[in-house]
Amino acid sequence: MKNITEQEARAILSRRGHKNIVTVTFPKGHVVDTHEHPFDADFVVVSGSMKLVVADKEYNLTPGNEFQLGAGIQHSELMGEDGVILVSARPETTEH
């Protein structure tokens, strides 16, 4: 597990050219059922953990892990015992 600050995560996404960068917090055990986004997702985990399921692959993400997911790809998310805080790039037109 790598320690990373919110500022460091924002800098990573900014270097990739993202301008609309937000911090998102999910409580422990929170589940986001299978869904997809109409935009590419790019995020960095700052604290806690989460399991991301894409097709038949599971990704256990912890602080310092980065993940990119293309638009329209179905996935689900399960937050760990401490919840998760992540820094995420959003399209310029997305408010949430």
Side-chain angles (χ1 to χ4, degrees):
M1 189 179 317
K2 174 184 169 187
N3 289 328
I4 187 167
T5 67
E6 184 178 335
Q7 291 76 20
E8 289 169 327
R10 286 177 173 274
I12 289 168
L13 296 174
S14 181
R15 282 193 297 272
R16 292 183 185 149
H18 298 295
K19 298 194 183 340
N20 189 20
I21 300 171
V22 298
T23 299
V24 182
T25 302
F26 291 104
K28 76 175 191 172
H30 182 79
V31 175
V32 181
D33 290 325
T34 302
H35 66 287
E36 61 187 63
H37 303 282
F39 52 84
D40 292 342
D42 191 357
F43 66 88
V44 181
V45 177
V46 174
S47 69
S49 63
M50 66 183 286
K51 181 186 298 183
L52 182 70
V53 180
V54 181
D56 60 349
K57 284 190 128 179
E58 291 184 2
Y59 301 90
N60 294 300
L61 306 175
T62 58
N65 288 149
E66 304 171 28
F67 204 90
Q68 294 84 39
L69 189 65
I73 296 177
Q74 291 197 347
H75 62 285
S76 60
E77 306 160 18
L78 172 62
M79 308 315 146
E81 283 300 308
D82 295 321
V84 71
I85 297 175
L86 54 88
V87 175
S88 178
R90 301 295 171 105
E92 295 295 321
T93 57
T94 303
E95 293 179 20
H96 301 288

